[in-house]
């Protein structure tokens, strides 16, 4: 206890983890760019609900508008800063909190995508850690309210994986693990980059599909053509990760190579993948949307360039063509611009050579 913690970005993941950390009595300050959200947190605290098996709670929190962050200059320096912003906001959010860090303070990327390098470019690799939130299924439906579209992972699924960029187990990584473990199951990983890419693959398989079709995850799962396309997206991303030398972990409770082979047309692998995905689907609310599907509903910018687009660019560097990911990236960008309306036919009628 006693460490000064900043959560930069009190959205779905930052709000969920931060609310539990605050509830445990830690010294937490939230900084967020959505004025209504900050004002609601100041007046009413932060409310956390679950779709399954967990009682809701509300906790009083300290919340600052971005324009109020300068107050931190008059206070004890921040020792642990969790950056929980969208990937395209990583750089400015890190710049914002960097000037208030203690000499031995550090920044943790608790985000989707691969943002540690961006953070390290601002605070240095020695002050950069990562933490993956695996299959957390959270959203921010209204100001001051975080909702998780499932129960807790607990022993059945380790949700948080905290680690150093160099892979060694350190007191810092253990401290991050202790803090996020207030929310759900957590471990320290020696394989941050493999965990990161594995999480990226899971996001690549579902986020953009929800964004461009307008469907929640359960409806995507029920469509054979969408499910097959999802598997092909994952297969391409896995092959790129393997070629780059990442030690991939389980993805959606499946061995990476099983998904890769299924996406390449292996019928037996397809059956195994389908069985596991339907099994997992029963643990999640039928209306839960991946974060990018939520963003599209709200008219927000998506992270498509940092997910599927990133896979395409990384594949190009090593001579691997990712045609499904390239096609999806283009479609999502067109829907985002308003050139297309969300529609499953963007994918079901897609013909890839």
């Amino acid at each position: 206890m006693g460490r000064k913690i900043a959560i930069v970005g009190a959205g779905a993941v930052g709000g969920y983890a931060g609310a539990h950390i605050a509830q445990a009595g830690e010294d937490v300050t939230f900084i967020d760019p959505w004025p209504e959200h900050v004002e609601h947190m100041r007046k009413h605290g932060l409310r956390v609900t679950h779709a399954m098996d967990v009682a809701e709670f509300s906790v009083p929190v300290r919340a600052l508008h971005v324009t109020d962050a300068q107050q931190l200059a008059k206070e004890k320096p921040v020792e642990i800063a969790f950056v929980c912003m969208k990937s395209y906001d990583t750089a400015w959010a890190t710049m914002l909190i960097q000037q208030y860090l203690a000499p031995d303070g550090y920044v943790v990327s608790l985000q989707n995508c691969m943002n540690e390098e961006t953070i390290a470019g601002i605070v240095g690799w020695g002050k950069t850690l990562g933490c993956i939130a695996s299959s957390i299924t959270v959203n921010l439906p209204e100001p001051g309210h975080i909702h998780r579209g499932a129960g807790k992972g607990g022993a059945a699924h380790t949700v948080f994986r905290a680690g150093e960029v160099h892979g060694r187990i350190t007191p810092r990584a253990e401290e991050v693990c202790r803090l996020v473990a207030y929310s759900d199951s957590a471990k320290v990983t020696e394989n941050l980059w493999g965990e990161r890419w594995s999480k990226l693959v899971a996001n690549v398989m579902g986020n953009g599909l929800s964004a461009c079709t307008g469907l929640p995850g359960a409806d995507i799962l029920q469509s054979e053509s969408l499910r097959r396309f999802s598997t092909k997206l994952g297969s391409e991303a896995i092959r790129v990760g393997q070629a780059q030398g990442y030690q991939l972990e389980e993805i959606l409770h499946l061995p990476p190579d099983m998904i890769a082979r299924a996406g390449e047309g292996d019928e037996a692998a397809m059956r195994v993948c389908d069985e596991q995905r339907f099994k997992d689907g029963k643990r999640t609310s039928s209306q839960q949307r991946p974060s990018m599907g939520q963003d599209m509903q709200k008219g927000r910018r998506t992270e498509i360039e940092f997910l599927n687009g990133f896979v395409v660019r990384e594949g190009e560097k090593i001579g691997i063509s990712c045609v499904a990911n390239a096609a999806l990236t283009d479609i999502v960008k067109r829907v985002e611009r308003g050139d297309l309306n969300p529609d499953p036919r963007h994918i079901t009628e897609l013909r890839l050579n």
Side-chain angles (χ1 to χ4, degrees):
M1 297 291 181
R3 305 276 278 170
K4 182 160 184 174
I5 300 159
I7 309 277
V8 188
V13 174
Y16 187 81
H20 285 84
I21 295 169
Q23 187 188 43
E26 302 281 354
D27 179 4
V28 184
T29 298
F30 292 90
I31 304 166
D32 195 82
W34 186 15
E36 291 85 355
H37 186 39
V38 172
E39 287 302 314
H40 196 283
M41 286 191 286
R42 285 177 167 178
K43 292 172 185 171
H44 309 288
L46 199 46
R47 175 175 166 237
V48 178
T49 60
H50 292 74
M52 302 171 186
D53 308 325
V54 183
E56 73 170 74
F57 70 89
S58 293
V59 60
V61 296
R62 184 193 187 203
L64 299 178
H65 296 287
V66 170
T67 51
D68 295 329
Q70 58 186 300
Q71 294 176 19
L72 296 173
K74 303 175 183 178
E75 303 172 8
K76 174 185 173 184
V78 171
E79 291 158 297
I80 306 170
F82 289 91
V83 170
C84 309
M85 303 291 291
K86 295 293 184 184
S87 296
Y88 47 76
D89 288 327
T90 301
W92 74 256
T94 307
M95 286 286 286
L96 176 76
I97 204 63
Q98 178 225 7
Q99 56 198 314
Y100 306 117
L101 280 181
D104 62 345
Y106 53 90
V107 178
V108 184
S109 170
L110 182 54
Q111 306 165 274
N112 286 333
C113 314
M114 311 277 280
N115 295 310
E116 284 81 0
E117 186 173 357
T118 299
I119 290 170
I122 294 162
V123 299
W125 282 110
K127 286 179 172 285
T128 303
L129 286 86
C131 184
I132 292 93
S134 171
S135 300
I136 192 167
T137 61
V138 286
N139 62 299
L140 178 65
E142 58 190 347
H145 177 200
I146 309 294
H147 179 72
R148 188 167 180 184
K152 296 205 175 190
H157 172 76
T158 304
V159 174
F160 294 100
R161 297 101 188 273
E164 295 271 9
V165 296
H166 48 59
R168 295 188 295 276
I169 304 295
T170 64
R172 299 193 311 184
E174 289 172 338
E175 176 80 344
V176 173
C177 181
R178 181 184 72 81
L179 292 170
V180 295
Y182 288 129
S183 306
D184 208 333
S185 50
K187 68 177 183 179
V188 178
T189 180
E190 297 177 73
N191 182 30
L192 177 67
W193 300 110
E195 292 273 17
R196 265 284 175 238
W197 195 272
S198 302
K199 167 71 172 179
L200 183 85
V201 173
N203 284 329
V204 154
M205 292 175 70
N207 267 277
L209 276 177
S210 179
C212 76
T213 62
L215 299 176
D219 290 356
I220 291 171
L221 200 56
Q222 292 301 322
S223 164
E224 183 175 0
S225 57
L226 295 179
R227 201 168 62 246
R228 293 282 171 266
F229 190 76
S230 166
T231 306
K232 184 166 179 58
L233 294 168
S235 177
E236 290 178 355
I238 288 164
R239 293 309 188 205
V240 172
Q242 289 172 334
Q244 290 179 319
Y246 292 124
Q247 178 190 330
L248 300 184
E249 305 280 346
E250 270 196 348
I251 299 162
L252 305 178
H253 304 117
L254 287 159
D257 225 55
M258 187 70 71
I259 297 173
R261 294 202 312 274
E264 291 160 353
D266 183 318
E267 293 287 344
M270 281 184 201
R271 286 193 294 273
V272 173
C273 288
D274 283 353
E275 183 181 345
Q276 183 61 49
R277 294 186 70 182
F278 281 120
K279 181 180 173 183
D280 286 347
K282 293 176 182 174
R283 302 193 192 104
T284 303
S285 163
S286 62
Q287 292 307 303
Q288 179 67 26
R289 294 171 189 270
S291 57
M292 201 182 296
Q294 298 169 36
D295 290 338
M296 195 69 85
Q297 270 193 322
K298 296 173 183 176
R300 297 191 62 189
R301 179 182 173 188
T302 73
E303 291 182 295
I304 193 68
E305 286 289 359
F306 296 85
L307 287 171
N308 305 78
F310 182 71
V311 169
V312 173
R313 294 192 300 276
E314 291 298 294
E316 286 171 351
K317 292 177 185 176
I318 50 179
I320 296 179
S321 176
C322 299
V323 292
N325 280 278
L328 183 68
T329 302
D330 177 63
I331 293 166
V332 171
K333 285 161 72 174
R334 287 160 67 193
V335 174
E336 192 176 356
R337 288 195 303 264
D339 298 341
L340 298 173
N341 291 320
D343 193 318
R345 289 176 297 180
H346 298 324
I347 304 300
T348 58
E349 296 178 1
L350 191 62
R351 297 288 179 265
L352 294 178
N353 296 323

